[in-house]
Amino acid sequence: MLRLGPLAAAAGRLLPAGLRLGSTRPARGWVSHSRAWPPGPVGDRGLLSRQVRAVTGSAHGGGRGPVLKTPKGTRDHPPAQAALRDRLLAAVVACFKRHGAAAIDTPVLELRETLTGKYGEEAKLIYELQDQGGELLALRYDLTVPFARYLAMNKITNMKRYHVAKVYRRDNPATTRGRYREFYQCDFDIAGQFDPMIPDAECLKIVHEILSDLQLGDFLIKVNDRRILNGVFAVCGIPESKFITTCSTVDKLDKIPWQDVKNEMVGEKGLSPEAADRIGEYVQLHGGLDLIERLLQDPKLSQNKLAKEGLGDMKLLFEYLALFGITGKISFDLSLARGLDYYTGVIFEAVLLQQENDHVEEPVSVGSVAGGGRYDGLVGMFDPKGRKVPCVGVSIGIERIFSILEQRAKASGEKVRATETEVLVATPQKQLLAARLKLISELWDAGIKAEMFYKKDPKLLKQLQYCEDTGIPLAAIVGEQELTDGVVKLRDVATREEVDIPREKLVDEIRRRLEP
Amino acid sequence: MLRLGPLAAAAGRLLPAGLRLGSTRPARGWVSHSRAWPPGPVGDRGLLSRQVRAVTGSAHGGGRGPVLKTPKGTRDHPPAQAALRDRLLAAVVACFKRHGAAAIDTPVLELRETLTGKYGEEAKLIYELQDQGGELLALRYDLTVPFARYLAMNKITNMKRYHVAKVYRRDNPATTRGRYREFYQCDFDIAGQFDPMIPDAECLKIVHEILSDLQLGDFLIKVNDRRILNGVFAVCGIPESKFITTCSTVDKLDKIPWQDVKNEMVGEKGLSPEAADRIGEYVQLHGGLDLIERLLQDPKLSQNKLAKEGLGDMKLLFEYLALFGITGKISFDLSLARGLDYYTGVIFEAVLLQQENDHVEEPVSVGSVAGGGRYDGLVGMFDPKGRKVPCVGVSIGIERIFSILEQRAKASGEKVRATETEVLVATPQKQLLAARLKLISELWDAGIKAEMFYKKDPKLLKQLQYCEDTGIPLAAIVGEQELTDGVVKLRDVATREEVDIPREKLVDEIRRRLEP
């Protein structure tokens, strides 16, 4: 199993030599912008501040040049960040594959009508394109609706798939919290008619595995069920037409105190104070199997069909989670409501718990790092005959996790690399470009990751310095003497030891040295 | 080095068991759409025909339902295709990393003005978004202009980067030739001021490595230089204002005969027949070092400064390519012109040569599978002070290569997989769901890729059949007896051999069996 190391270390390890994200001074070897070589993400600090300006819309490239920025709420990923992100995504995908999911890919563009009516109030955040000769298009808002469209379009009634891709929301960017207008989603979904709660339990197991693998610190997975919430609203005397809007108010209980939530219910949503108080008695509850049992005995709730179904399934879910050995991090929490309209059953959300970490300079507010739930009606919205395909899925909040890693990386001094180069092919005298080209070609053809300077006559010292700066472990040096002797001088960059290796044995020797 | 196997075999190997792309009948195990399990890309044949309809704009989901299609010129990738594509992209990225490149990522969205004036006539194919509160945005058209914008914005003067991502062109889709409106580009670029032709030679080496690795059959890399072309035009008496338009006519020589090219030059572009004939004498030439030498002696061309520079560099390039041992597949071809405006020096394009292949049912016309060149002026267009950063790069035409693989896969009967599941956890009697959940959880936690049926009491035969259908190599079976004995029955799906393994040794035994 691919496990990232302890967080701070992992983040550090993924950074290129000498580059600390957001550090206040560029580290050794990356200072000058005008060095002919090495290339690299120089000026990263400048980049970060420029991105902040870009986000607030004030960046430009000077008085007379073109405007130099990325669109509001978007950003470039220089090599260090791209490498960190690739590593994170690989860990998530490894977990999805471990659970037997297949990848699918869908277009970034969807017909507008595919997205219409799926997201409730959030639909206003959808990016729309100009009319393309009669086709009205939009950028996808999530990966769930395209998945449902895909299932309906291809009449697929069961499938376990993952999808890692960018989605687009014209939200107010909060970039320090990892909230962008273009961001990755990592989704795993199980579609099909199965026995209750088995796929649902697997989704929670996946969240548990990924958050454990990434060693993000302590976390809690809150679980609830839309049917239980609706049952609570019903027995508290709320009309069905107000269920969804009441849901969205309840969902704020993790951010604001009950009194404020109650005020919103009464003042804005028009509930009676008595009904609000009755709701309050329920939605402030959280616990485990004991709470489920208690609510199953609740005189009012046990009379409500939906609530009873939901509670029965919740009990089953906890049984399965106990078999997975993960109930310690699961909380049945009646205040969890989730924003999206399409959920119909189990819903869940994972949050990181406040933790001690000396390395973190400023605390990062990250919100939830994973969420999901059951949406049994969405595929039916696309089917001409309304045929339903029950689905449950989970989305990993990779951008927020990435933000945490980025912030922690600030504090980590460990130097790491953005490239994987294993050998620098170097020459100690002039007029040896041909020798370098011939040797590096042999190494590439043998599958060895190799670089050389793009100069005819580079200085040996600069070549060796480049190895040290960028973490290349080996230098293969061919000088006049080596050419005469039919050998290559292989230098261990860390120890500075040099050994002459017969040319025909060089590839094997390099491979041997690179073995872990 | 990651090498894909022989093409037909490789394509076959990447397909899931029982699923042959575009085969005329669904294979065993994937027939029924209503089976509760296994999930999978059932109805793939339906998908393909529906995609064709979607592309022609005639697909919809029936009389009263919503329109069910992807936007014109785009497509979904079901698991078999997604797996094949992932494998292809991985091979390309492996080569880029072998050459020491770092990844960067840029947004899919760019400011419209970033793209304006970079693509010549092709600019009309850019997708534009609706006004986003004052920001005028477009979807990126390639990865080169965003790279140049990135370099200028961050004042980076040297960098070796790769970028694999989707780009968008409102072209007329030709989907059978692998031409879509949303497609992947795989770009490798070297930015910086270096000694001539060293990075350029590396780009050609990369094309050679990738096309060899993928075993696509015989190929040819055509090379030319914009300076040589401009020199030819100049000595033939063409005014400089007509260089670019003459270029685009010359570029058609690989598709239409010289007489038609000449007619276009005279009739549409307004050249004199004599000038056209003079051009014709040059642009029909192709060869190697000998041709370069001959042109260097050409009485007219050797007087032209640009042409002389270009020919001198071409000679140097061939020297370096000889050291790489790849001149056998390189042709100096004066008809190669390349469409984009921004090239300033070396240009190149790789084409597959017609080949014998019994497996191919219908010949696939694929055009070029890689291309690139030197663009020394593009970054300067973004810099407020016009500071130039010389660049050379290559783009691998992954969609066309993917089309070839897809077509060849038609003919390959070999069954392969869309998932990587190693073990199915199965039970032979009823009432054993808890035992399965407990065991599969142990396997997941040990990093083993495992699946189970989401049914309480599945039939053993169906579980074993699923392993055979989907290529899962092992089944871990827990029945009442096994639970009593503290063992798990491990079944080799291929040989059907079963052995009882003590529970505590199961993970090690599975790992041992999965070793290559």
Side-chain angles (χ1 to χ4, degrees):
Chain A
M1 189 187 309
L2 172 56
R3 290 196 183 267
L4 293 183
L7 210 272
R13 222 177 305 129
L14 297 168
L15 295 175
L19 177 64
R20 301 189 307 164
L21 285 178
S23 70
T24 49
R25 67 188 76 178
R28 186 177 67 123
W30 300 88
V31 178
S32 161
H33 288 200
S34 58
R35 283 178 65 173
W37 197 255
V42 286
D44 196 75
R45 180 180 148 224
L47 170 63
L48 286 177
S49 64
R50 224 165 288 123
Q51 280 175 342
V52 170
R53 270 182 284 132
V55 162
T56 57
S58 65
H60 50 79
R64 61 185 193 86
V67 174
L68 272 178
K69 50 173 272 195
T70 60
K72 186 178 178 189
T74 68
R75 58 175 167 175
D76 296 317
H77 288 286
Q81 273 127 305
L84 178 59
R85 173 180 303 273
D86 283 352
R87 182 101 184 248
L88 261 180
L89 293 178
V92 171
V93 166
C95 178
F96 293 163
K97 285 186 175 175
R98 198 157 65 230
H99 287 261
I104 70 163
D105 191 23
T106 65
V108 166
L109 301 167
E110 291 278 354
L111 300 188
R112 274 187 219 168
E113 63 178 297
T114 298
L115 308 186
T116 306
K118 310 300 186 305
Y119 299 106
E121 285 178 16
E122 301 191 34
K124 64 180 185 297
L125 304 180
I126 294 173
Y127 277 99
E128 299 189 340
L129 273 79
Q130 293 200 335
D131 188 333
Q132 307 293 326
E135 262 197 339
L136 299 178
L137 305 180
L139 300 185
R140 64 181 165 212
Y141 182 83
D142 67 7
L143 302 176
T144 311
V145 167
F147 176 53
R149 191 264 307 147
Y150 172 82
L151 292 176
M153 182 169 141
N154 299 294
K155 297 191 169 48
I156 295 168
T157 54
N158 48 49
M159 176 170 218
K160 182 153 62 177
R161 83 90 176 79
Y162 73 88
H163 193 180
V164 172
K166 287 176 174 178
V167 302
Y168 298 84
R169 298 184 185 180
R170 294 177 349 104
D171 223 333
N172 274 331
T175 54
T176 49
R177 293 171 52 213
R179 218 161 113 168
Y180 288 87
R181 289 183 160 197
E182 173 185 65
F183 59 97
Y184 274 97
Q185 281 202 332
C186 301
D187 282 19
F188 171 99
D189 292 80
I190 301 171
Q193 184 70 57
F194 304 113
D195 282 322
M197 294 299 113
I198 310 179
D200 313 60
E202 182 165 1
C203 286
L204 292 169
K205 177 78 170 89
I206 283 174
V207 173
H208 193 279
E209 281 179 31
I210 289 174
L211 295 182
S212 304
D213 284 359
L214 295 177
Q215 305 201 14
L216 294 167
D218 205 9
F219 60 88
L220 185 71
I221 308 174
K222 300 177 188 175
V223 188
N224 198 3
D225 193 301
R226 277 281 170 94
R227 292 168 297 173
I228 300 176
L229 273 180
N230 287 347
V232 165
F233 297 155
V235 305
C236 294
I238 311 301
E240 210 174 318
S241 61
K242 288 192 173 169
F243 279 8
I244 286 184
T245 181
T246 310
C247 241
S248 76
T249 306
V250 166
D251 203 38
K252 297 179 182 167
L253 253 184
D254 61 338
K255 296 184 198 76
I256 57 175
W258 164 246
Q259 194 53 50
D260 295 347
V261 170
K262 182 184 166 182
N263 289 346
E264 186 175 313
M265 284 181 177
V266 177
E268 290 177 35
K269 305 295 167 84
L271 308 194
S272 72
E274 297 73 27
D277 280 334
R278 283 195 295 271
I279 293 175
E281 282 172 32
Y282 287 106
V283 296
Q284 292 180 83
L285 299 172
H286 53 90
L289 203 50
D290 50 330
L291 176 59
I292 301 168
E293 298 284 10
R294 215 171 78 211
L295 291 177
L296 274 169
Q297 307 303 323
D298 182 278
K300 282 183 291 178
L301 217 48
S302 61
Q303 299 307 308
N304 180 281
K305 189 173 166 289
L306 268 182
K308 217 176 144 188
E309 257 181 49
L311 286 165
D313 277 350
M314 189 60 69
K315 190 176 163 187
L316 199 57
L317 180 67
F318 267 75
E319 267 178 41
Y320 297 161
L321 298 178
L323 290 162
F324 288 158
I326 61 171
T327 43
K329 301 230 184 269
I330 311 279
S331 169
F332 171 41
D333 188 325
L334 278 94
S335 73
L336 179 71
R338 304 276 298 159
L340 293 168
D341 283 9
Y342 53 60
Y343 290 118
T344 55
V346 165
I347 46 179
F348 54 87
E349 201 167 283
V351 293
L352 297 188
L353 299 178
Q354 197 56 44
Q355 51 204 299
E356 317 292 319
N357 191 326
D358 298 337
H359 293 303
V360 179
E361 284 162 5
E362 5 178 340
V364 192
S365 165
V366 291
S368 79
V369 289
R374 176 162 285 282
Y375 50 102
D376 288 349
L378 192 57
V379 178
M381 291 174 75
F382 289 106
D383 189 275
K385 294 184 181 156
R387 278 169 300 215
K388 290 187 174 182
V389 177
C391 294
V392 62
V394 51
S395 188
I396 306 297
I398 199 74
E399 297 289 346
R400 292 183 172 185
I401 295 172
F402 180 70
S403 269
I404 300 168
L405 291 177
E406 246 184 329
Q407 293 275 345
R408 292 193 189 174
K410 267 192 186 180
S412 154
E414 209 183 326
K415 291 189 178 186
V416 194
R417 316 178 57 197
T419 64
E420 299 174 9
T421 308
E422 296 159 337
V423 180
L424 184 79
V425 173
T427 38
Q429 296 104 9
K430 293 192 176 185
Q431 307 286 336
L432 286 167
L433 174 61
R436 268 188 293 145
L437 288 170
K438 211 159 167 346
L439 180 57
I440 199 167
S441 178
E442 289 172 25
L443 297 183
W444 286 331
D445 291 343
I448 288 165
K449 294 169 187 148
E451 284 184 66
M452 56 172 263
F453 277 33
Y454 299 136
K455 290 188 74 162
K456 273 195 289 195
D457 300 314
K459 293 206 166 65
L460 183 61
L461 200 64
K462 283 204 170 181
Q463 296 172 81
L464 298 179
Q465 187 63 49
Y466 177 63
C467 293
E468 297 199 4
D469 289 346
T470 62
I472 298 175
L474 297 170
I477 305 166
V478 268
E480 284 149 16
Q481 191 60 48
E482 286 79 15
L483 282 176
T484 309
D485 298 348
V487 299
V488 171
K489 202 177 281 304
L490 194 60
R491 180 186 172 102
D492 183 307
V493 175
T495 65
R496 303 188 176 185
E497 268 180 281
E498 297 184 341
V499 190
D500 281 354
I501 310 286
R503 182 85 169 218
E504 67 278 9
K505 293 189 176 159
L506 181 65
V507 166
D508 284 342
E509 176 62 18
I510 290 172
R511 284 197 189 125
R512 198 187 62 74
R513 298 228 193 165
L514 293 172
E515 269 168 17
Chain B
M1 189 186 307
L2 172 56
R3 289 197 184 266
L4 293 183
L7 210 274
R13 222 178 303 128
L14 297 170
L15 296 175
L19 177 67
R20 301 189 306 167
L21 284 179
S23 71
T24 48
R25 65 188 77 178
R28 189 177 64 124
W30 300 89
V31 178
S32 160
H33 289 197
S34 58
R35 285 178 63 174
W37 197 252
V42 286
D44 195 76
R45 183 181 146 222
L47 169 63
L48 287 176
S49 62
R50 223 166 288 122
Q51 280 174 342
V52 170
R53 270 182 283 133
V55 161
T56 58
S58 65
H60 48 77
R64 61 184 193 84
V67 174
L68 273 177
K69 50 173 273 196
T70 60
K72 186 179 177 187
T74 69
R75 58 175 167 175
D76 297 317
H77 288 286
Q81 274 126 306
L84 178 59
R85 173 179 303 275
D86 283 352
R87 182 103 182 247
L88 261 179
L89 294 178
V92 171
V93 167
C95 177
F96 293 164
K97 286 187 175 175
R98 196 157 64 232
H99 287 261
I104 70 162
D105 191 23
T106 65
V108 166
L109 300 167
E110 291 279 353
L111 300 189
R112 273 186 219 170
E113 63 179 295
T114 297
L115 308 187
T116 305
K118 310 300 185 306
Y119 299 107
E121 286 178 15
E122 301 192 33
K124 64 182 185 297
L125 304 180
I126 293 173
Y127 277 99
E128 298 189 341
L129 273 80
Q130 293 200 335
D131 189 333
Q132 308 292 327
E135 262 197 339
L136 298 177
L137 304 179
L139 301 185
R140 65 181 164 211
Y141 183 83
D142 67 5
L143 302 176
T144 311
V145 168
F147 176 54
R149 191 264 307 148
Y150 173 83
L151 291 176
M153 181 169 141
N154 299 295
K155 297 190 167 49
I156 295 169
T157 53
N158 49 47
M159 175 171 220
K160 182 154 62 176
R161 83 90 177 79
Y162 73 89
H163 193 181
V164 172
K166 287 175 174 177
V167 302
Y168 298 84
R169 297 183 186 181
R170 296 175 350 103
D171 222 332
N172 274 331
T175 53
T176 50
R177 292 173 52 215
R179 219 162 112 167
Y180 288 86
R181 289 183 159 196
E182 174 186 65
F183 58 97
Y184 274 97
Q185 282 201 335
C186 300
D187 281 21
F188 171 99
D189 292 80
I190 300 171
Q193 183 69 57
F194 304 113
D195 281 321
M197 294 298 113
I198 311 180
D200 312 61
E202 182 167 2
C203 287
L204 291 168
K205 176 78 169 92
I206 283 175
V207 173
H208 192 280
E209 280 180 32
I210 289 174
L211 296 182
S212 304
D213 284 359
L214 295 177
Q215 305 202 11
L216 293 166
D218 205 10
F219 60 88
L220 185 71
I221 307 174
K222 300 177 186 175
V223 187
N224 197 2
D225 192 301
R226 276 281 170 93
R227 292 169 296 173
I228 299 176
L229 272 180
N230 288 346
V232 165
F233 298 154
V235 304
C236 294
I238 311 299
E240 209 174 320
S241 60
K242 289 192 175 169
F243 279 8
I244 286 185
T245 181
T246 309
C247 240
S248 74
T249 305
V250 167
D251 203 39
K252 296 180 183 168
L253 253 184
D254 61 339
K255 295 182 197 76
I256 57 175
W258 163 246
Q259 192 54 51
D260 295 348
V261 169
K262 180 184 169 186
N263 289 345
E264 184 175 314
M265 284 181 175
V266 177
E268 289 177 35
K269 306 294 169 86
L271 306 195
S272 72
E274 298 71 29
D277 281 333
R278 283 194 294 272
I279 292 176
E281 282 172 32
Y282 287 106
V283 297
Q284 292 180 84
L285 300 172
H286 52 90
L289 203 51
D290 50 331
L291 176 60
I292 301 168
E293 298 284 8
R294 216 171 78 211
L295 292 177
L296 274 169
Q297 306 305 321
D298 182 278
K300 281 183 291 177
L301 217 48
S302 60
Q303 299 308 307
N304 181 281
K305 187 172 169 289
L306 268 183
K308 216 175 148 191
E309 256 180 50
L311 286 165
D313 277 349
M314 188 62 69
K315 190 175 163 188
L316 199 56
L317 180 67
F318 267 76
E319 266 178 42
Y320 297 161
L321 298 179
L323 290 163
F324 288 158
I326 61 172
T327 42
K329 300 224 183 275
I330 310 277
S331 168
F332 171 42
D333 187 327
L334 277 94
S335 73
L336 178 72
R338 302 276 302 159
L340 293 168
D341 282 8
Y342 53 60
Y343 290 117
T344 55
V346 165
I347 45 178
F348 53 88
E349 201 166 284
V351 293
L352 298 187
L353 300 178
Q354 196 58 43
Q355 52 203 301
E356 316 292 320
N357 191 327
D358 297 336
H359 293 303
V360 179
E361 284 161 4
E362 6 179 339
V364 192
S365 165
V366 291
S368 79
V369 290
R374 176 162 285 282
Y375 50 101
D376 288 349
L378 191 58
V379 178
M381 291 174 75
F382 289 105
D383 189 276
K385 293 183 181 158
R387 275 168 302 216
K388 290 188 176 183
V389 178
C391 293
V392 62
V394 50
S395 188
I396 305 297
I398 199 74
E399 298 289 345
R400 293 183 172 185
I401 295 173
F402 180 70
S403 270
I404 301 168
L405 291 177
E406 244 184 330
Q407 294 274 347
R408 290 191 190 176
K410 265 193 189 183
S412 154
E414 209 183 326
K415 292 188 177 186
V416 195
R417 317 180 56 196
T419 65
E420 298 175 9
T421 308
E422 295 160 338
V423 180
L424 184 78
V425 174
T427 38
Q429 298 104 10
K430 293 192 175 185
Q431 308 287 336
L432 287 168
L433 174 61
R436 269 189 291 145
L437 288 170
K438 211 160 166 349
L439 180 57
I440 199 167
S441 178
E442 289 172 26
L443 297 184
W444 285 331
D445 291 343
I448 289 165
K449 294 168 189 152
E451 283 184 68
M452 56 173 263
F453 277 34
Y454 298 136
K455 290 187 74 162
K456 272 195 289 193
D457 300 314
K459 292 206 167 65
L460 183 60
L461 200 65
K462 282 204 170 179
Q463 295 172 81
L464 298 179
Q465 186 63 49
Y466 176 63
C467 292
E468 298 199 1
D469 289 346
T470 62
I472 299 176
L474 297 170
I477 304 166
V478 268
E480 284 149 15
Q481 190 61 47
E482 286 80 13
L483 283 176
T484 308
D485 298 347
V487 299
V488 171
K489 202 178 281 304
L490 193 60
R491 180 186 170 103
D492 183 306
V493 174
T495 65
R496 304 191 175 181
E497 269 180 283
E498 297 184 342
V499 190
D500 282 354
I501 309 286
R503 182 83 169 222
E504 68 278 9
K505 294 190 176 157
L506 180 66
V507 165
D508 285 343
E509 176 62 19
I510 290 172
R511 282 197 190 127
R512 198 186 60 75
R513 298 232 193 161
L514 293 173
E515 270 167 16

